[in-house]
Amino acid sequence: MRWTGRPCLRTATAVTVAALLGLGGALGAPAVLASEPGGDRLTDLVNPFIGSEREGNTFPGAAVPFGMVQFSPDTGHNTGYDYSDDRVRGFSLVHLSGVGCRLGGDLPVLPTTGEVTLTDHAKYAARFDHATEKASPGYYRVGLRSGTGGDASVIDAELTATGRTGVQRYTFPATDKANVLLNAGQALHRTVSTKVEILDDRTVRTAITGSGFCQATRPYTVYTLTRFDRPFTTSGTWRGDTVTAGSTRSAGPGRGGAYVRFDTTKDRTVEATTALSYVDARGAAVNLRSEGGRSFDGVRDGARRAWEDRLDDVRVQGGDPTLRRTFYSSLYRSFLAPNLGNDADGRYTGWDRKVHRAKGFTYYQNWSLWDTYRTQAQLLALLAPRESRDMALSVLTVGEEGGWLPKWGYGTVETNIMTGDPVTPFLTNAYQQGLLEGHEERAYRALRRNADGVPPADSPAVGREANAEYVAGGFVPTIKGRPHAKPGDSDYDHGASATLEYALSDAMLAQMARDLGHEADAARYAARAQNYRRVFDPSTGFFRARDASGAFTGVADPARSTGFHEGTSWQYQWLVPQDLPGMIGLIGGRKAANDRLDAFFAYERLLKDPGRTAREVWVNGPYAYYNAATYNPQNEPDLIAPYTYLSTGQPWKTTDVVHAALTLFTDTPTGMTGNDDLGTMSAWHVLSSIGIFPVQPGSDTWGLSTPVFERTDLVLDRRFHPLGRLTVTAPGTSDTARYIRSVRGDGAALDRTYLTTGALRGIRELAFTVGAEPSGWGTAADAAPPALK
């Protein structure tokens, strides 16, 4: 349905909107350009452009830690911004760091000059170059060249953000046709329908229904409310290719949007605040009233302070400036997600499509669990335990309101992207880190239901899709051509890796069951944790897919194996953190395992040239997941693999491999190892740099390797870490002096290659002594992380 008409901007509508927002003219007069940041802040060490080229899929725009809004430019790339592009299509509100498919990009907004005749943002996109571009945590700026030929003009665009709003400032040339285009009908994902309303001469409201992430999913709706700091002189809307001056409404499928115009002949600056809600229009108004009303500079300063407070919990000494910049940039990206899901009044849209109110916790959303359960969940549990607690409670709430625990949740919907059972180690990690106090049995009931069953047919979730076959026969069959019952990925397409993921999750759930006194369940899950053996082929010495009859299927070559999700048998062979001694036994003992690990990491070549080996042997392209017999540091399946040497009596090789992989993180737009996947790769970088790593994700085990900094001070929440601080020292650590000679915890010798969370919380200083040659540290038979029973 289409509605057009002349706006009546000085009617009761305008009064109602102003009263609703409680803002009046509070956005204030235009402010002068903010001063450039100084050089003594941790935020000055962050480069948001890292990973914005060659499919790192990061974004350079403005956000605050875990914010609902990520206000960033879209250049036409699949996931938003690519550093190699030279045109901006708009600045949109929602971006997730490092996703591999189209997602978000809602309401791209762009300043222009001249007549408004084009409605496709690919056609009206503005040119820019990187000389005018600047980004830091919570702030983005670029110079746009709008128009063509003699009509071209430069517009300075600046972005900042609060948790639920994006704030924009545009400095136009002197003109009576300075426009801001609000494009509700185009995004990174598929837009289903839009509604645009110009409420008065300062305010535009939209409702945008979108769908899709890698594959089609249930639609969801986001609501926005944009309030300008001064009245616009005229406005209009568009639907499709038709622009209607003076129209105040546009609704329906396809492209739709609004434009507003200002006279900047005297006052060249325009500011606006856009609030976002996943609940309703009222929610957007509540968020704008709660977080709007401040000047651009005030919001920018607040965003920077929020990031300083967050980054200041980790202070490093030593290393060169590039090492520190890459480290703090990764730390920054680790805190970008999950994201606020509830409005300022506590309301949120649950997975049952109903509106709820969060009580006693903050509701978060966006769950890339197949990725984050391996690294980011543990980093956040260490450095942001209060938020991590609420994130875990949010996942439990999703399971209760939506009918099943999530796998890959975006906003208010399940996408079913990726395979296995990632929610189990995510939640058991929260339990093991003490984040579920008072909710242990609630979490266990949800996990037990997930581990033993499958969602009903009318549920959008797939859960452990192949659980019936797995429980009955001990493995997930790989069935080629099986129709997908629901949108998303299918465990049946990747039966071998799904078996390994299920078994890992069973092992972690067994630990929780035993702790809570559910002995029978614990024994059952511990037995199922050995199901990795069911997909081991003794004739090849590798894991291999089985068909529905139980026969091994696909080619025998482990580098060209089928049935593994985003990887090969070579890369998945080490994904048995619950029982590496058993896995090592299967392939012939420690010597055989070390020989295979050396081949996997090209170890002899690595010793001669670590950086070149990482780039030329390991890395084969951002999405080259298959047909490889070597380590892939760009993707999740073997992120833990370098730490396998901790279990084979050669822990110094873990340091060699980890430090070679760390060279892939650089202070450039190509300085990521692949998709960041909501902070997964960044968290790997941070933890590996500190020297502690979650080698058994979902448990309380931290493996040890040589830190890259001489000193790291971690400020920890005393509610979860009674001492409130942990200092990790490694005097003299460097590329040449990188081998552990000894480790001490508050002066007491630590001879094992791992610590538990309990032990980590009981010491103030973890002190590494390093040298230029490998030592006997960590090589004793009992030094390795134990198998989980």
Side-chain angles (χ1 to χ4, degrees), residues 292-554:
R294 290 185 289 159
S295 70
F296 182 93
D297 289 331
V299 175
R300 173 187 172 176
D301 290 346
R304 188 179 64 222
R305 286 194 300 272
W307 280 112
E308 284 292 332
D309 289 345
R310 184 63 65 181
L311 298 176
D312 193 49
D313 287 342
V314 184
R315 285 277 183 172
V316 300
Q317 298 177 25
D320 61 32
T322 298
L323 190 66
R324 292 193 294 274
R325 284 195 300 270
T326 58
F327 176 83
Y328 278 106
S329 297
S330 287
L331 186 62
Y332 159 78
R333 291 189 300 271
S334 299
F335 294 125
L336 288 171
N339 307 99
L340 280 173
N342 64 263
D343 292 334
D345 61 2
R347 296 186 309 143
Y348 65 90
T349 297
W351 284 31
D352 55 1
R353 303 295 184 98
K354 298 178 181 178
V355 177
H356 304 268
R357 192 180 300 273
K359 297 180 180 179
F361 74 109
T362 298
Y363 181 80
Y364 289 91
Q365 60 190 20
N366 300 333
W367 307 106
S368 182
L369 296 176
W370 186 82
D371 309 290
T372 59
Y373 88 79
R374 307 164 200 261
T375 58
Q376 196 235 15
Q378 292 82 358
L379 180 65
L380 295 189
L382 183 68
L383 298 179
R386 293 175 186 268
E387 292 88 346
S388 294
R389 169 191 176 273
D390 288 356
M391 291 167 188
L393 295 181
S394 298
V395 167
L396 290 178
T397 300
V398 165
E400 291 160 356
E401 294 171 354
W404 210 265
L405 290 171
K407 179 169 284 187
W408 210 123
Y410 173 64
T412 61
V413 300
E414 172 65 85
T415 71
N416 291 320
I417 294 302
M418 306 315 295
T419 48
D421 176 19
V423 72
T424 293
F426 174 84
L427 284 174
T428 60
N429 171 71
Y431 165 73
Q432 295 289 355
Q433 307 305 326
L435 305 180
L436 291 177
E437 183 178 354
H439 300 272
E440 295 92 342
E441 288 294 342
R442 173 190 176 195
Y444 181 73
R445 288 192 300 271
L447 287 170
R448 185 178 188 273
R449 181 171 182 248
N450 174 75
D452 290 345
V454 294
D458 61 353
S459 169
V462 297
R464 286 195 184 197
E465 183 184 16
N467 222 19
E469 293 92 335
Y470 173 81
V471 171
F475 68 93
V476 176
T478 297
I479 305 175
K480 294 182 178 180
R482 184 181 185 275
H484 288 200
K486 300 174 183 179
D489 291 312
S490 173
D491 290 344
Y492 291 105
D493 289 339
H494 312 283
S497 59
T499 300
L500 297 176
E501 300 268 12
Y502 286 14
L504 183 159
S505 295
D506 284 336
M508 303 311 161
L509 189 54
Q511 305 302 302
M512 184 177 182
R514 186 170 294 109
D515 286 350
L516 297 177
H518 303 289
E519 294 295 340
D521 283 354
R524 182 162 54 90
Y525 294 132
R528 279 169 32 178
Q530 293 293 307
N531 280 342
Y532 73 88
R533 297 172 180 269
R534 302 294 184 97
V535 289
F536 183 79
D537 182 357
S539 70
T540 64
F542 286 85
F543 295 126
R544 195 171 171 193
R546 290 180 179 270
D547 63 20
S549 72
F552 288 114
T553 185

Side-chain angles (χ1 to χ4, degrees), residues 692-714:
I692 55 174
F693 190 86
V695 292
Q696 294 175 321
S699 77
D700 65 346
T701 308
W702 301 84
L704 303 178
S705 65
T706 307
V708 301
F709 297 106
E710 291 194 333
R711 179 180 175 121
T712 302
D713 289 292
L714 306 176

Side-chain angles (χ1 to χ4, degrees), residues 59-366:
F59 63 87
V64 296
F66 311 122
M68 182 184 291
V69 168
Q70 306 83 35
F71 206 9
S72 190
D74 296 327
T75 64
H77 184 262
N78 185 44
T79 61
Y81 178 93
D82 190 282
Y83 193 81
S84 60
D85 293 335
D86 62 0
R87 289 179 180 268
V88 171
R89 297 183 176 188
F91 305 108
S92 62
L93 294 169
V94 179
H95 299 82
L96 296 185
S97 183
V99 294
C101 296
R102 294 182 182 274
L103 183 64
D106 301 289
L107 195 66
V109 178
L110 192 73
T112 68
T113 57
E115 296 296 336
V116 177
T117 59
L118 300 174
T119 63
D120 182 346
H121 62 11
K123 296 180 180 178
Y124 65 65
R127 289 169 293 156
F128 77 102
D129 63 64
H130 297 303
T132 67
E133 202 174 25
K134 181 178 183 60
S136 61
Y139 177 70
Y140 174 85
R141 175 180 180 176
V142 70
L144 303 176
R145 187 166 291 278
S146 176
T148 59
D151 295 329
S153 56
V154 175
I155 304 168
D156 191 55
E158 298 174 274
L159 311 176
T160 188
T162 70
R164 299 174 178 89
T165 73
V167 185
Q168 53 214 286
R169 177 165 64 190
Y170 305 123
T171 303
F172 289 93
T175 177
D176 62 355
K177 294 180 180 178
N179 313 305
V180 179
L181 311 184
L182 298 93
N183 189 336
Q186 291 182 291
L188 299 174
H189 53 66
R190 182 173 68 90
T191 301
V192 177
S193 64
T194 65
K195 182 179 180 181
V196 180
E197 301 171 279
I198 300 175
L199 299 181
D200 60 26
D201 61 358
R202 293 189 183 203
T203 315
V204 180
R205 182 168 65 192
T206 74
I208 303 168
T209 299
S211 175
F213 170 51
C214 292
Q215 302 178 39
T217 57
R218 290 195 305 170
Y220 63 93
T221 301
V222 294
Y223 302 86
T224 76
L225 190 63
T226 302
R227 178 78 168 171
F228 289 86
D229 69 331
R230 58 180 168 121
F232 30 86
T233 57
T234 188
S235 59
T237 68
W238 70 80
R239 177 60 48 185
D241 292 322
T242 302
V243 179
T244 306
S247 167
T248 61
R249 295 188 183 183
S250 173
R255 291 199 310 275
Y259 72 90
V260 298
R261 176 169 293 167
F262 300 87
D263 185 336
T264 58
T265 53
K266 294 182 180 179
D267 183 352
R268 295 177 54 200
T269 303
V270 174
E271 292 188 17
T273 300
T274 300
L276 182 68
S277 171
Y278 288 84
V279 179
D280 52 24
R282 171 191 158 197
V286 166
N287 292 339
L288 186 57
R289 185 170 61 248
S290 174
E291 300 182 13
R294 290 185 289 159
S295 70
F296 182 93
D297 289 331
V299 175
R300 173 187 172 176
D301 290 346
R304 188 179 64 222
R305 286 194 300 272
W307 280 112
E308 284 292 332
D309 289 345
R310 184 63 65 181
L311 298 176
D312 193 49
D313 287 342
V314 184
R315 285 277 183 172
V316 300
Q317 298 177 25
D320 61 32
T322 298
L323 190 66
R324 292 193 294 274
R325 284 195 300 270
T326 58
F327 176 83
Y328 278 106
S329 297
S330 287
L331 186 62
Y332 159 78
R333 291 189 300 271
S334 299
F335 294 125
L336 288 171
N339 307 99
L340 280 173
N342 64 263
D343 292 334
D345 61 2
R347 296 186 309 143
Y348 65 90
T349 297
W351 284 31
D352 55 1
R353 303 295 184 98
K354 298 178 181 178
V355 177
H356 304 268
R357 192 180 300 273
K359 297 180 180 179
F361 74 109
T362 298
Y363 181 80
Y364 289 91
Q365 60 190 20
N366 300 333

